[in-house]
Amino acid sequence: NNVSADVEMYSFESGMTNYGTYPIFHNSDDLTDYVMSEMIARNSEFSFYFAAPFTESPAAYFKTIISDSVEHNGMPNSGDYLAKAYNNYYFSYKLFKNCYEYEGSYIDLYLMTFNFSFFTTAEDESYVDSRIDEIIKSLNISNKSDYEKALAIYTWITSNVSYDQANANPFAINDNKTFTAYNALYKKTAVCQGVATLFYNMLLKVGVDNRITNNSTHCWNLVKVDGSYYYCDPTWDLGFNPSNFQYFMCGRESGFESEHAITDTSMNLGYSVVN
């Protein structure tokens, strides 16, 4: 159970039916934090009550809660890492009309259930967390510059992870964990999403900000060094050493954009990549 001690619990009964005891929320911020924590814990199903006046459709509102729960926030196991952690999700709800007293009036109460198809388990993520800590410690980069940290991590990944050719065909995936940092670390092989999420997590662990972005078929990273953003694609440098890197800290005039089909700079997530 991932419910924190300060979350209010609520039990609802109607007629002869008890609908159970679950956390209850009255605002978006608290609910977003809760959903994020449940996702980080890889809880594939969780329920809660929500009681607050709506200004939009419930379906649109709860979709927004999901997108807000995976906003980039600098946490290695959250943000883009979490947004890439599941294959799909759905939610269902029961609506109880005008039955919850809130700020002096009676409003609707929703009993929500979210279901996620995560690629990994909580145990898998515990392995990822501890293994990354071991690797970072071995690199001895705590006093290095952001550029040196990024280079050391990029080099470790390109030297220790191979591309998962067995799952290269998106229509014939035999192991969904190929999309994760877990496979990149445990099996030492992954497709681009697994490589990019590993790079994302490791960089944030050492305080280097970065994002994951993609076109229709491929993922890479935007990395911030000395106040500027650069393109990095560790997947396309797998197996190479630093003297042969072609996709580390590239600017807009490097050919990276044409090779990665960046025809719309919205792929850069609002960041200005240097020339």
Side-chain angles (χ1 to χ4, degrees):
N1 192 327
N2 200 47
V3 178
S4 61
D6 58 350
V7 170
E8 179 186 355
M9 303 298 289
Y10 182 74
S11 181
F12 180 71
E13 293 184 11
S14 180
M16 300 295 291
T17 304
N18 186 319
Y19 288 93
T21 302
Y22 301 105
I24 187 167
F25 299 94
H26 308 292
N27 63 72
S28 299
D29 291 342
D30 290 344
L31 178 55
T32 296
D33 289 345
Y34 172 73
V35 171
M36 180 179 70
S37 70
E38 292 295 298
M39 293 175 68
I40 289 173
R42 298 301 188 269
N43 289 328
S44 59
E45 180 177 311
F46 54 93
S47 300
F48 56 88
Y49 293 106
F50 187 79
F54 275 107
T55 57
E56 57 186 318
S57 75
Y61 178 85
F62 290 115
K63 286 180 181 178
T64 300
I65 291 296
I66 295 297
S67 61
D68 289 348
S69 297
V70 297
E71 279 191 352
H72 179 67
N73 58 12
M75 292 170 53
N77 62 350
S78 187
D80 297 344
Y81 187 86
L82 197 55
K84 303 290 187 184
Y86 58 90
N87 186 34
N88 55 58
Y89 76 91
Y90 65 91
F91 58 80
S92 58
Y93 59 83
K94 290 181 171 65
L95 168 61
F96 306 100
K97 296 287 291 183
N98 301 321
C99 64
Y100 186 84
E101 187 175 0
Y102 181 74
E103 295 183 344
S105 60
Y106 283 90
I107 62 173
D108 297 343
L109 176 71
Y110 290 83
L111 172 56
M112 298 293 308
T113 298
F114 280 13
N115 294 86
F116 282 84
S117 296
F118 291 111
F119 295 129
T120 58
T121 65
E123 290 76 17
D124 294 336
E125 291 305 315
S126 178
Y127 170 82
V128 168
D129 193 51
S130 60
R131 182 69 182 115
I132 287 177
D133 285 345
E134 291 173 358
I135 294 166
I136 289 173
K137 184 178 180 181
S138 73
L139 294 176
N140 193 27
I141 55 176
S142 59
N143 295 320
K144 301 291 186 179
S145 68
D146 284 354
Y147 176 85
E148 291 169 318
K149 290 175 180 177
L151 177 59
I153 290 171
Y154 193 93
T155 302
W156 189 94
I157 292 174
T158 59
S159 300
N160 289 277
V161 181
S162 64
Y163 189 78
D164 188 1
Q165 295 292 346
N167 289 287
N169 183 348
F171 302 104
I173 300 295
N174 298 311
D175 180 8
N176 279 336
K177 290 183 181 181
T178 192
F179 297 114
T180 69
Y182 175 81
N183 261 29
L185 292 170
Y186 186 75
K187 289 192 172 181
K188 296 182 171 57
T189 186
V191 294
C192 59
Q193 181 171 304
V195 176
T197 53
L198 176 59
F199 192 41
Y200 177 87
N201 189 310
M202 293 182 75
L203 286 178
L204 288 178
K205 280 259 191 177
V206 298
V208 178
D209 194 31
N210 76 107
R211 298 295 307 274
I212 300 172
T213 188
N214 58 274
N215 58 28
S216 60
T217 60
H218 187 57
C219 293
W220 58 92
N221 302 71
L222 302 169
V223 179
K224 185 179 182 180
V225 169
D226 297 331
S228 298
Y229 283 89
Y230 299 82
Y231 297 118
C232 287
D233 186 349
T235 302
W236 282 11
D237 271 330
L238 292 179
F240 292 96
N241 57 45
S243 63
N244 299 116
F245 287 161
Q246 297 185 58
Y247 303 102
F248 178 71
M249 295 295 169
C250 296
R252 297 199 63 204
E253 296 177 356
S254 63
F256 190 102
E257 290 188 353
S258 60
E259 289 185 86
H260 288 72
I262 303 177
T263 55
D264 182 351
T265 54
S266 66
M267 290 184 190
N268 294 341
L269 307 176
Y271 299 101
S272 178
V273 177
V274 299
N275 288 333

